[in-house]
Amino acid sequence: MVTGSTSSKNPQPQIRKKPIAWDTDAGRDGKTSSMEMMLNWLLRDEKFRIWRTGVSSNGQQMSKKSLISELLNELLQAGIDYRKQADIHTKIYQLEHDFEKARLWIVNNNKDLDSATHDDATRAIVMQKCKYYYRIEPTFSEFLPFKHKTPSSAQHTPDKKEEVQQQQAKQSTPPHHPISQQQNLAHMSAFAPIRPVLSNDVHPSHPPAPTSAESSSSLSSSQPVAFHPSPSRYPPHLQEEPITSNERIEIQRLRLRETIHLDRMEIKRRKLAIRETESLAEMEIARRQATAQILAAHAQLIAELRTLGLPNAEIIDYLKKSENI
């Protein structure tokens, strides 16, 4: 008895069910999988057109939610009752993504866009990207066309390779080389006037074949050295001192104080506006009360004069005289 009560009070934790693959499951017939049913559904009755556009060829509008519900009902009728609407939506999106990925590989690798001409090696790689590519291509290609070739640094034509090699050779040229020397002189001409560079064409008397030591010495003596301006050479107004963390904190504090001050001023302004409105309302109430008292006094006076037997004309004259007084 004790053992039974303890087992009822401490139930065992529920074991989480493993996800069932779309390709290996089957319904009541034991043959058709969830993936097969979804592909058959997408490829018939322009279902994929409606999925992409929301409108059929005859103008009937349908949402993706209603389409998923239709496919879900077919799965339930086939005995597949463990798929959800979110699972179906995700699976169709994944199928579209894999199809586009396979098409991008075809374009980037310069393969024939006509799938009927693909050899066995190409078909194997394409089916690695998208397992059902050749089955869904006639339907999906209308709404997911080929995209432009993506640029890749690893793939170059022979002409581009030569250009890259030339650029690398220029960058690796030493500073005393004439090519880099002319580039440096062109850069330095914007800062200071320089003498023209001497060359063998200008001075024929120059030795035709100087040694490396002589050429380096003559270069250092007659030709200007490569000029690389340092930050200190720039004008003072172009030199910006870095802001330290303490200065940034202080700036933030000042901005916060300014914001608080502006908020307080705005609160005071609104309070004054409210007080002014209240005072005007009180003055209007007092004016109306005074007017009502005066009218009540006049009515009482007229009633007393009428009790004395005075005609209306004399009562009016009396009131006018009292107002003038």
Side-chain angles (χ1 to χ4, degrees):
M1 297 297 291
V2 178
T3 306
S5 62
T6 54
S7 61
S8 61
K9 291 182 179 179
N10 298 322
Q12 294 180 356
Q14 296 181 357
I15 300 174
R16 186 176 182 181
K17 296 182 180 179
K18 294 183 179 180
I20 302 174
W22 283 68
D23 297 330
T24 58
D25 65 339
R28 292 191 183 94
D29 58 358
K31 298 178 181 179
T32 308
S33 64
S34 301
M35 193 68 187
E36 187 69 19
M37 291 191 64
M38 188 184 75
L39 290 174
N40 293 335
W41 179 83
L42 280 173
L43 300 180
R44 77 166 186 265
D45 300 335
E46 62 181 16
K47 285 293 190 297
F48 190 69
R49 171 192 289 275
I50 303 173
W51 175 267
R52 295 291 299 184
T53 62
V55 183
S56 62
S57 58
N58 58 4
Q60 183 181 2
Q61 295 184 357
M62 292 185 67
S63 62
K64 290 185 177 180
K65 186 176 181 180
S66 61
L67 291 172
I68 293 174
S69 299
E70 181 181 338
L71 176 57
L72 188 62
N73 290 332
E74 292 189 9
L75 293 173
L76 290 173
Q77 291 177 3
I80 301 174
D81 55 355
Y82 41 82
R83 301 298 180 195
K84 299 179 181 179
Q85 290 188 356
D87 300 336
I88 297 173
H89 195 185
T90 304
K91 203 65 181 178
I92 297 176
Y93 173 78
Q94 182 182 357
L95 188 63
E96 293 174 340
H97 176 72
D98 293 343
F99 183 81
E100 290 183 329
K101 185 170 63 175
R103 291 211 136 187
L104 187 62
W105 181 88
I106 293 173
V107 173
N108 288 340
N109 290 272
N110 298 323
K111 301 297 181 181
D112 195 348
L113 302 183
D114 186 5
S115 60
T117 61
H118 290 177
D119 54 7
D120 294 340
T122 302
R123 293 177 68 90
I125 297 175
V126 170
M127 292 180 68
Q128 286 180 359
K129 306 290 183 182
C130 181
K131 183 177 180 180
Y132 305 96
Y133 178 84
Y134 295 99
R135 181 177 176 183
I136 64 178
E137 186 205 9
T139 304
F140 280 42
S141 59
E142 182 181 356
F143 305 97
L144 299 173
F146 285 102
K147 296 182 180 180
H148 296 291
K149 187 174 183 179
T150 56
S152 176
S153 59
Q155 298 178 356
H156 293 282
T157 59
D159 296 337
K160 291 184 178 180
K161 285 185 178 180
E162 293 177 359
E163 293 178 0
V164 171
Q165 291 176 359
Q166 291 178 1
Q167 291 179 0
Q168 292 177 353
K170 289 180 180 180
Q171 293 176 359
S172 60
T173 306
H176 63 273
H177 196 274
I179 296 176
S180 62
Q181 212 171 42
Q182 292 176 2
Q183 294 175 354
N184 290 331
L185 290 174
H187 180 70
M188 190 177 68
S189 61
F191 296 92
I194 58 173
R195 294 184 294 110
V197 180
L198 302 177
S199 62
N200 295 335
D201 298 335
V202 178
H203 298 281
S205 59
H206 195 276
T211 60
S212 59
E214 291 176 354
S215 62
S216 61
S217 61
S218 61
L219 184 64
S220 60
S221 60
S222 60
Q223 296 181 356
V225 184
F227 178 74
H228 300 283
S230 59
S232 60
R233 299 288 183 90
Y234 290 105
H237 65 278
L238 296 179
Q239 299 178 8
E240 298 182 357
E241 297 181 357
I243 300 177
T244 61
S245 59
N246 294 332
E247 291 176 347
R248 288 179 181 174
I249 293 173
E250 187 63 26
I251 291 172
Q252 292 178 356
R253 288 179 179 175
L254 292 174
R255 289 177 180 174
L256 182 60
R257 290 178 183 175
E258 182 182 2
T259 305
I260 294 172
H261 176 70
L262 293 175
D263 292 342
R264 289 176 178 175
M265 294 294 293
E266 180 65 19
I267 292 171
K268 289 182 179 179
R269 187 187 66 78
R270 292 185 181 182
K271 286 182 177 180
L272 290 174
I274 292 171
R275 290 177 183 175
E276 183 179 0
T277 304
E278 291 177 352
S279 61
L280 291 174
E282 291 175 357
M283 290 175 62
E284 180 66 18
I285 292 170
R287 185 184 66 79
R288 291 183 180 183
Q289 289 177 353
T291 303
Q293 291 176 0
I294 292 172
L295 293 175
H298 284 180
Q300 185 179 1
L301 180 60
I302 291 170
E304 291 178 356
L305 293 175
R306 284 180 178 176
T307 54
L308 296 175
L310 294 176
N312 292 333
E314 293 182 2
I315 293 173
I316 293 171
D317 292 337
Y318 180 79
L319 292 175
K320 288 181 178 179
K321 290 178 182 179
S322 60
E323 288 179 358
N324 293 330
I325 295 172

